[in-house]
Each structure stands twice: as structure tokens, then as C-alpha cells.
């Protein structure tokens, strides 16, 4: 098996940056790469109410093949709290939507599914977390009113723009 050390190093560096501050979409990383890393990192900051019954943590990226491919490579053989992380097309614990025409999917997901969107106004349309680029930076926006069946870590909320809820 051949491991590309340079690629592993880049991914590790990108993960490190995400844990410390909002991401800047430098030319070094594409917005799709940054969003894929955010999806992975966000899953580590979620505590599901039914987590004890979960066999794995499933992330669905159904409408963005680039993010899906990057995330699949990034999460291969990864665990979150001893549960395997899987990129799948159904039974989603985390659902990423990148295209406006798919916003209607939010209405049919179980309440304990974390909905993340890659478009403006996603959180205003029922989504929990929005990842959009603004002035070269990708920063999460969280709507607390759209969170049910899980909690987000305060460490994650510190780096996000938070709306809704009892602020």
C-alpha cells in the first residue's frame, strides 16, 4: 500500500486549522475541500440523543460529488466516540445539501438528523448549519431553532455565527 505523505500532511494541517478557527478558503484548498473537512469536524461536535443505539455515524452528501469523494477519503477508517464514520446515501445522521433545488429534503429527515447546507439562507429555510463562503472565508452559521434530537458542542458554537434560540 502506497501512502502519499504529502497528502496526509495537507489533510492533517487542514484538520488542525479547523479545530482552531473559522476556515479561510485559501487558494491552497478548494471550497469543496474545506466543506468536506467541516462536515467531518462538525460530526465530532454533535452529541445525538439516541447515540447509544447508533452503530455508526452516517454522513450523506447526495448532491455534490466532489464533496462526497473528498469526505469519503477523509473519513476512511475514522471513528467518532468508537463509532465508525460512514459516507452513505441513506439513513443519514448528518445530511449535507449544496443545491437549492434540494432544500425540500429538509422536511423529510428525522429530527435527529443534522442538516448542513452549502448555500445562503439555508438556516432560514429550516436547516441547522450553513457553510457558505463570504469574502474568501467559510464560516458556519447555526440556527438553534432548527436543532432537535441532538446537541452541538459549545466549542463548535464558539467559532460559528449563532442565530435563533434563547440568546
Amino acid at each position: 500500500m502506497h501512502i502519499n505523505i504529502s497528502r496526509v500532511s495537507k489533510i492533517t494541517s487542514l484538520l488542525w486549522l479547523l479545530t482552531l478557527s473559522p476556515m479561510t478558503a485559501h487558494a491552497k484548498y478548494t471550497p469543496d475541500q474545506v466543506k468536506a473537512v467541516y462536515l467531518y469536524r462538525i460530526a465530532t461536535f454533535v452529541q445525538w440523543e439516541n447515540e447509544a443505539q447508533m452503530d455508526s455515524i452516517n454522513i450523506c452528501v447526495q448532491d455534490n460529488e466532489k464533496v462526497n469523494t473528498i469526505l469519503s477519503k477523509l473519513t476512511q477508517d475514522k471513528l467518532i466516540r468508537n463509532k465508525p464514520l460512514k459516507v452513505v446515501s441513506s439513513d443519514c445522521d448528518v445530511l449535507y445539501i449544496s443545491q437549492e433545488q434540494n432544500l425540500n429534503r429538509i422536511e423529510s429527515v428525522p429530527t435527529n438528523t443534522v442538516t448542513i447546507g452549502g448555500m445562503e439562507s439555508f438556516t432560514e429555510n429550516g436547516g441547522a448549519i450553513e457553510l457558505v463562503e463570504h469574502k474568501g472565508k467559510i464560516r458556519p452559521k447555526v440556527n438553534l431553532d432548527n436543532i432537535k434530537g441532538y446537541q452541538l458542542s459549545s466549542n463548535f458554537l464558539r467559532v460559528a455565527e449563532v442565530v435563533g434560540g434563547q440568546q
Side-chain angles (χ1 to χ4, degrees), residues 38-164:
Y38 257 124
L39 292 174
Y40 167 64
R41 291 298 298 151
I42 288 170
T44 67
F45 290 113
V46 176
Q47 183 73 45
W48 286 268
E49 290 175 4
N50 66 334
E51 194 165 316
Q53 292 80 36
M54 295 167 63
D55 294 325
S56 62
I57 296 174
N58 299 330
I59 303 177
C60 300
V61 182
Q62 298 173 341
D63 65 357
N64 188 318
E65 191 57 41
K66 288 181 183 178
V67 171
N68 191 320
T69 300
I70 296 164
L71 186 63
S72 294
K73 290 176 183 174
L74 184 65
T75 59
Q76 187 173 10
D77 301 322
K78 296 282 193 292
L79 301 173
I80 295 177
R81 293 181 296 282
N82 294 319
K83 296 187 185 311
L85 195 58
K86 297 179 181 178
V87 179
V88 297
S89 59
S90 62
D91 195 25
C92 311
D93 299 306
V94 177
L95 173 64
Y96 177 70
I97 299 171
S98 67
Q99 298 174 22
E100 269 187 58
Q101 66 263 27
N102 295 322
L103 274 173
N104 61 341
R105 292 182 184 178
I106 295 173
E107 299 166 7
S108 62
V109 298
T111 57
N112 62 333
T113 299
V114 181
T115 53
I116 303 174
M119 72 209 65
E120 299 267 347
S121 303
F122 183 76
T123 56
E124 294 167 17
N125 288 293
I129 302 170
E130 184 176 306
L131 299 175
V132 291
E133 186 176 347
H134 182 69
K135 295 184 180 180
K137 293 183 180 183
I138 295 177
R139 185 171 182 215
K141 177 180 178 182
V142 177
N143 188 331
L144 297 176
D145 294 334
N146 299 335
I147 295 175
K148 295 173 181 67
Y150 60 92
Q151 295 179 348
L152 294 172
S153 163
S154 61
N155 289 330
F156 173 68
L157 294 175
R158 279 188 210 123
V159 299
E161 175 187 348
V162 179
V163 298

Side-chain angles (χ1 to χ4, degrees), residues 16-24 38 138 159:
W16 172 249
L17 285 172
L18 265 176
T19 62
L20 297 177
S21 64
M23 279 305 303
T24 300
Y38 257 124
I138 295 177
V159 299

